[in-house]
Amino acid sequence: MINNSYINIFKINRFTINRFAINRFTMGKIMCGIVGCVLTNRKAAPILLECISKLEYRGYDSVGISTVDENGIHLKKGSGKIKEVDDKIDLGELPGSTGIAHVRWATHGIPSKENSHPHISNEGNISVVHNGIIENFGEIRESLESEGYIFHSQTDTEVIPILIEKYMDKGFNLEDALKKTLKIIKGSYAIGAISKNNPNEIVAARKDSPLIIGVGDKDYFIASDAPAILNYTKNVIYVDNGEIAILNHDGVIVKDSKDNIVDKKINLIEWDAEMAQKEGYDYFMLKEIHEQDSAIKDTLSERDNINEIITEIGNISRICFVACGTSYHASLTGKYLIESMAGIPTDVILASEFKYSANTLNKDTLVIFISQSGETADTLKALKVAKKTSKTLAIVNVLGSSATREADFVIYTRAGPEIGVAATKTYISQLICIYMFAAILANNKKLLDSLDEVPEYISEILAKEGEISEIASKYINVNDFFFIGRGLSYPTALEGALKLKEITYIHGEGYAAGELKHGPLALIDDNVPVVVIVPPGDNYDKTISNLEEVKARGANVIAIGSCADEFIKTEVTDSFCIDENVNEIIAPLIYVVPLQLLSYYISVKRGLDPDKPKNLAKCVTVE
Ligand code: AGP
């Protein structure tokens, strides 16, 4: 049994927590969350509901709870956010003091009740929650089906309860049946399993997906992450790769892969639940800005899919992007890339204005819909219209969302759940998809390969985040900002201005740098700071001329440019420099990061909550 005498104390500090977040918790994607509990004298379901709600940041496609008592396994689950599902089926109303729960971010199979966890074995004796991916589930499923087992979902997870039941039917106990199962499955997992035969027991296992155990007075928990259980216990054990844990009324036993009992330390966590949920970041937006390098790496895995889609689509004479907000800015970057590299005429239309252009589409037009949520009403309406005449492609973050079901072809941005209302990591992931799409269309292997370097450039920026915070301090009381750039830096300017408006409530205007002299220059004076995006490349000299124009009108210039550029270091009010190897072609993927941080820090320094800007919603489902 667990030795309670040794307690490590983790101080509350973002970097300490991040160290654990990276090393312990996030080996693999933050997708799906699990919890489980063995309680003494209390019903498990209401507590599981509260615990799993703390993990909604890990996924919100579906939710489910399963409990066990002397009458067997009980289950409630459904697709949708926790509150929606709970309002319909009262998730906390299940008997038993032992149970497991799950929130899902779909990876295999669309979000649906059938694909929701927990998954139950054929005879209903075993219930399982899983976070991770079972890579060889296809072959296991085929072999189990040939033995007569029936599958009710499209998930990789369902093989686990079926295998456990198969071994229990042969006489193994729950623990040994799980061990036999782990020998067969390949991939990553944090698993929690309960059985009708053991109404007071959970067995759990971990490989490359996060799993902790909570040790209460007489109550024991499992969870993907500490925030889930901090209201019940702050004493946690970190389960290491290859270990399994058995939790029952007697306590917790952890065994290694050779079946030896491991003397695990109990660590005292001093975070409060909310702080831990954000992994120590003050806001989800900052956490998501920091997740951009991994979002890019994951999204780059769509390359083969994009290749196949382009081959299947065949000849197209025109491309038309349709999107809203940040997704519109990503689309605009696509226009510049596709027209300049592939020579295909490309339009970008705001989804809410699409109906006026709909009759210009034909069968040789490819209409590309970009949407983080895949549920934006304006975008969906346009998609339904475009389908009637043209081939449609959706670039979407949320698996199984409406746009993915409507479109002919789908590319996923693999950014994981984005909680902050302001799009950050999903914008970068959309851009990565667009860059891959344009580079493959134009047969530009050099550009395609250069995308692998983007995460490193972003990490370099994040390492200098403090410089942006200092710049932000100087501008918290201004009323207006301009953001200017030329060519591919123009959409970046628009996106910088949108970020500023939505989370700081300061008026920000993005403008094509060369267009300023045709009107807005009249607004520029020493009260209007101008952010100039000026990466090295063909547009550099002309952008510097525009910078001089605003400087001459008294504007405080904040220049974002190359670290090799002496001019921006000495001749402007403030500057932030980026690796000199980043040229203007790939700059949109990198130069936007300091703009996100600038808005974030201005927002926080003005005392605002950047995650929940007033009047805005993450997903806009009205026209
Ligand atoms: C971006 O920060 C905004 N939250 C917003 O502009 C958003 O991009 C827009 O509403 C479109 O949403 P979608 O990508 O989910 O379709």
Side-chain angles (χ1 to χ4, degrees):
M1 283 293 153
I2 293 305
N3 171 3
N4 275 347
S5 59
Y6 188 108
I7 296 186
N8 275 343
I9 299 182
F10 297 130
K11 292 280 171 235
I12 308 173
N13 136 354
R14 200 175 95 209
F15 300 100
T16 314
I17 295 170
N18 283 344
R19 185 162 54 83
F20 285 98
I22 292 159
N23 297 343
R24 296 272 191 183
F25 296 154
T26 53
M27 294 177 68
K29 294 169 193 161
I30 299 180
M31 289 179 181
C32 303
I34 68 171
V35 295
C37 63
V38 179
L39 306 178
T40 308
N41 301 328
R42 279 194 288 179
K43 273 176 74 180
I47 289 175
L48 287 168
L49 178 59
E50 192 205 317
C51 293
I52 203 68
S53 302
K54 300 278 183 336
L55 296 185
E56 202 164 21
Y57 74 93
R58 303 179 69 89
Y60 42 75
D61 290 337
S62 62
V63 57
I65 296 180
S66 187
T67 56
V68 58
D69 65 5
E70 58 290 350
N71 297 317
I73 298 281
H74 309 276
L75 172 70
K76 284 189 177 182
K77 61 182 183 175
S79 95
K81 297 207 170 76
I82 296 176
K83 175 141 188 0
E84 291 161 12
V85 178
D86 187 38
D87 283 349
K88 273 190 219 146
I89 58 173
D90 201 355
L91 285 162
E93 205 32 70
L94 285 170
S97 57
T98 297
I100 49 181
H102 187 274
V103 277
R104 178 166 185 252
W105 180 258
T107 55
H108 283 80
I110 59 161
S112 65
K113 185 176 175 195
E114 293 67 39
N115 290 335
S116 312
H117 297 222
H119 288 285
I120 305 284
S121 58
N122 279 191
E123 289 161 31
N125 296 333
I126 310 294
S127 182
V128 165
V129 287
H130 164 225
N131 171 30
I133 293 175
I134 307 303
E135 288 157 8
N136 58 339
F137 85 98
E139 57 199 76
I140 300 173
R141 180 174 172 146
E142 224 170 85
S143 132
L144 287 168
E145 279 174 335
S146 71
E147 292 172 44
Y149 289 97
I150 295 165
F151 284 78
H152 299 97
S153 78
Q154 303 159 298
T155 65
D156 52 337
T157 300
E158 201 180 353
V159 297
I160 302 171
I162 293 180
L163 282 170
I164 295 176
E165 187 171 78
K166 175 177 155 176
Y167 291 115
M168 287 189 79
D169 283 348
K170 287 185 177 168
F172 291 94
N173 65 21
L174 178 60
E175 177 190 336
D176 290 334
L178 175 66
K179 284 183 199 152
K180 299 275 290 175
T181 300
L182 298 182
K183 289 209 163 68
I184 295 172
I185 60 176
K186 290 189 186 128
S188 60
Y189 49 76
I191 296 169
I194 52 175
S195 152
K196 183 183 169 185
N197 296 358
N198 314 55
N200 298 312
E201 187 165 283
I202 294 177
V203 292
R206 181 204 164 181
K207 179 173 169 274
D208 293 341
S209 288
L211 185 65
I212 61 165
I213 292 170
V215 183
D217 225 3
K218 287 181 187 153
D219 298 330
Y220 303 96
F221 299 83
I222 58 166
S224 301
D225 202 352
I229 55 171
L230 287 182
N231 284 343
Y232 295 94
T233 178
K234 297 198 176 210
N235 295 332
V236 307
I237 295 164
Y238 297 104
V239 180
D240 286 310
N241 266 344
E243 291 179 341
I244 75 157
I246 302 105
L247 292 77
N248 55 38
H249 284 164
D250 297 329
V252 179
I253 293 177
V254 179
K255 294 183 178 175
D256 66 16
S257 55
K258 294 193 179 113
D259 218 19
N260 303 312
I261 293 181
V262 188
D263 188 13
K264 301 290 284 188
K265 288 171 186 137
I266 297 179
N267 305 282
L268 175 66
I269 297 203
E270 286 192 335
W271 324 325
D272 64 40
E274 183 160 314
M275 191 171 180
Q277 199 175 16
K278 292 172 190 152
E279 291 176 1
Y281 289 100
D282 292 336
Y283 291 97
F284 280 110
M285 183 180 174
L286 189 59
K287 174 174 172 266
E288 286 156 6
I289 289 173
H290 278 258
E291 284 171 352
Q292 293 188 110
D293 50 352
S294 61
I296 291 171
K297 285 178 198 156
D298 289 342
T299 304
L300 284 169
S301 69
E302 282 289 296
R303 184 165 158 171
D304 288 347
N305 179 33
I306 296 173
N307 234 324
E308 282 166 25
I309 288 173
I310 288 177
T311 311
E312 210 177 315
I313 287 173
N315 275 342
I316 35 174
S317 59
R318 177 185 171 212
I319 291 175
C320 188
F321 282 97
V322 181
C324 308
T326 288
S327 301
Y328 174 82
H329 299 151
S331 304
L332 207 52
T333 312
K335 172 183 166 71
Y336 279 88
L337 286 172
I338 292 170
E339 290 191 333
S340 64
M341 294 190 326
I344 301 173
T346 302
D347 297 303
V348 188
I349 304 174
L350 287 167
S352 54
E353 298 292 320
F354 174 76
K355 66 179 176 186
Y356 307 105
S357 306
N359 63 3
T360 67
L361 306 180
N362 61 40
K363 64 176 180 32
D364 296 324
T365 313
L366 172 67
V367 191
I368 305 180
F369 294 84
I370 303 196
S371 175
Q372 183 284 130
S373 59
E375 301 292 351
T376 302
D378 292 323
T379 310
L380 287 179
K381 180 140 195 212
L383 173 50
K384 285 198 175 104
V385 173
K387 265 176 83 166
K388 292 180 191 153
T389 49
S390 308
K391 293 166 197 164
T392 56
L393 163 66
I395 300 180
V396 177
N397 195 46
V398 178
L399 196 132
S401 55
S402 302
T404 68
R405 295 198 296 272
E406 290 283 344
D408 300 321
F409 303 96
V410 179
I411 300 170
Y412 282 109
T413 50
R414 306 261 170 202
E418 188 175 68
I419 308 295
V421 165
T424 52
K425 63 176 179 170
T426 56
Y427 176 64
I428 296 266
S429 304
Q430 290 170 346
L431 288 179
I432 285 287
C433 288
I434 291 168
Y435 269 78
M436 286 194 283
F437 190 86
I440 293 169
L441 263 188
N443 214 359
N444 187 339
K445 189 163 178 322
K446 196 169 160 221
L447 177 61
L448 208 48
D449 290 345
S450 70
L451 299 178
D452 292 337
E453 290 157 22
V454 175
E456 188 52 40
Y457 294 134
I458 292 181
S459 301
E460 284 172 21
I461 295 172
L462 295 174
K464 302 192 291 181
E465 187 181 336
E467 289 180 32
I468 299 278
S469 168
E470 274 177 37
I471 296 173
S473 305
K474 299 189 194 173
Y475 297 98
I476 55 174
N477 291 321
V478 300
N479 295 321
D480 303 283
F481 254 95
F482 267 80
F483 292 76
I484 61 170
R486 279 178 178 256
L488 279 161
S489 297
Y490 168 48
T492 310
L494 293 175
E495 177 59 8
L498 177 62
K499 288 287 91 87
L500 187 83
K501 278 182 278 215
E502 69 178 335
I503 62 168
T504 71
Y505 316 149
I506 294 173
H507 167 239
E509 206 160 328
Y511 238 83
E515 185 65 11
L516 215 56
K517 57 187 176 291
H518 298 289
L521 204 54
L523 294 170
I524 303 295
D525 61 26
D526 57 354
N527 291 315
V528 183
V530 181
V531 179
V532 185
I533 299 139
V534 58
D538 289 351
N539 285 306
Y540 178 83
D541 289 340
K542 286 205 166 68
T543 311
I544 291 292
S545 302
N546 302 133
L547 182 157
E548 294 285 13
E549 284 160 16
V550 294
K551 204 176 140 191
R553 270 78 186 174
N556 286 306
V557 171
I558 305 166
I560 318 285
S562 158
C563 288
D565 185 342
E566 284 309 313
F567 178 87
I568 69 148
K569 285 188 192 157
T570 52
E571 300 298 319
V572 299
T573 319
D574 290 292
S575 66
F576 182 83
C577 83
I578 286 173
D579 194 299
E580 62 196 76
N581 294 310
V582 176
N583 61 33
E584 67 181 9
I585 309 294
I586 59 161
L589 292 157
I590 298 139
Y591 274 54
V592 73
V593 178
L595 304 186
Q596 295 167 341
L597 288 168
L598 182 67
S599 292
Y600 169 80
Y601 280 109
I602 293 178
S603 171
V604 171
K605 287 168 198 276
R606 280 165 71 91
L608 302 170
D609 177 349
D611 286 344
K612 297 188 193 98
K614 67 177 185 206
N615 306 339
L616 300 178
K618 184 72 185 158
C619 179
V620 184
T621 52
V622 289
E623 284 180 50

